[in-house]
Amino acid sequence: MKREEKFYLIRSDILPESITKTIEAKKMLESGEVDTVNEAVDRVGLSRSAFYKYKDGIFPFNAMMSEKIMTITFSLDHMSGYLSKVLTYVADQGGNVLTINQTIPLQGIAAVSMSVDMAHMRVSSTEFLDGLQQIPGVRKAMIVGRG
């Protein structure tokens, strides 16, 4: 009989030190900062046994989504190079554009809908959206779906 998995959302400041060190070690391994588990646990001051005990049970909050696809809609000023700046921003953040749809501009503004693979994103979806809205020519942007 398979045991039902339960998940909890817990503030990081109340986690035990062994859990936070496991998280740090996993980040080092995933980013390529270190090559081996031994290097990672030595750097953070954690035993290998503690790392192996917790490593498969700790995930960043956004990693719990079965698929990491976010659909965003935004208005874009109809000026040469603005869409290119948006696409460069997505790539710079580690995102991968899966689909993009842009309407014919009306009164100098085009509606854009874009689905982005967030699997390797270096920022949270909130930070991503905030950064997107800072790009010249991007008007109101919002997340319309995740899955």
Side-chain angles (χ1 to χ4, degrees):
M1 181 177 211
K2 188 175 180 181
R3 183 176 67 121
E4 179 183 333
E5 291 182 330
K6 292 182 182 180
F7 295 93
Y8 301 93
L9 185 61
I10 303 171
R11 274 192 353 252
S12 63
D13 64 322
I14 65 169
L15 291 172
E17 186 178 17
S18 57
I19 300 290
T20 58
K21 287 182 176 186
T22 301
I23 293 167
E24 289 176 49
K26 284 182 70 168
K27 284 181 185 176
M28 287 182 198
L29 287 161
E30 289 169 6
S31 70
E33 184 179 336
V34 295
D35 295 323
T36 66
V37 170
N38 280 342
E39 287 179 89
V41 296
D42 284 347
R43 280 240 194 112
V44 299
L46 181 70
S47 70
R48 282 175 30 103
S49 61
F51 176 82
Y52 284 111
K53 179 179 180 179
Y54 298 120
K55 75 173 183 71
D56 293 328
I58 300 171
F59 310 96
F61 178 65
N62 61 348
M64 293 307 297
M65 298 178 346
S66 60
E67 294 180 28
K68 298 173 187 157
I69 299 171
M70 180 169 61
T71 302
I72 306 155
T73 186
F74 55 94
S75 300
L76 187 64
D77 289 339
H78 181 59
M79 297 288 291
S80 179
Y82 280 2
L83 183 57
S84 177
K85 289 179 195 277
V86 169
L87 297 175
T88 299
Y89 171 74
V90 172
D92 288 347
Q93 301 311 310
N96 184 26
V97 175
L98 301 173
T99 65
I100 188 164
N101 184 28
Q102 179 177 330
T103 63
I104 295 173
L106 297 174
Q107 298 176 346
I109 299 173
V112 180
S113 175
M114 182 169 42
S115 294
V116 179
D117 180 351
M118 306 282 289
H120 301 290
M121 195 70 82
R122 290 184 273 285
V123 295
S124 71
S125 55
T126 303
E127 292 169 313
F128 176 77
L129 194 64
D130 289 344
L132 180 65
Q133 293 182 93
Q134 300 302 312
I135 299 170
V138 174
R139 300 192 178 210
K140 183 180 176 185
M142 61 186 200
I143 299 170
V144 292
R146 293 184 216 197

